[in-house]
């Protein structure tokens, strides 16, 4: 949830959905903030399982 919230804030700030959004989002200071907020969250969403290859 913290990542999605931060992503929304960057999109709103830059008024864009291009590569510059992810360039801004992946800056060390933003990632640190996301990690801190995520650590405080009680909700955990595990990654989806990938379908098995046949």
């Amino acid at each position: 949830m913290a990542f999605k919230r931060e992503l929304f804030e960057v999109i709103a700030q830059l008024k864009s959905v291009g590569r510059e959004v992810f360039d801004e989002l992946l800056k060390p200071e933003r990632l640190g903030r996301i990690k801190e907020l995520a650590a405080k969250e009680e909700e955990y969403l595990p990654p989806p399982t990938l379908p098995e290859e046949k």
Side-chain angles (χ1 to χ4, degrees):
M1 292 300 293
F3 181 81
K4 287 183 178 181
R5 196 173 309 114
E6 194 71 20
L7 176 62
F8 178 79
E9 287 180 23
V10 172
I11 290 171
Q13 175 188 0
L14 297 178
K15 296 180 175 110
S16 172
V17 291
R19 180 183 171 97
E20 60 275 3
V21 170
F22 288 98
D23 290 341
E24 178 66 28
L25 192 63
L26 296 176
K27 287 184 176 178
E29 59 273 5
R30 283 216 188 254
L31 284 177
R33 183 172 132 175
I34 291 170
K35 287 178 183 178
E36 287 176 18
L37 293 171
K40 295 177 184 177
E41 291 180 349
E42 293 180 17
E43 204 174 298
Y44 173 72
L45 182 63
T49 56
L50 299 175
E52 294 182 27
E53 294 183 28
K54 293 182 179 181

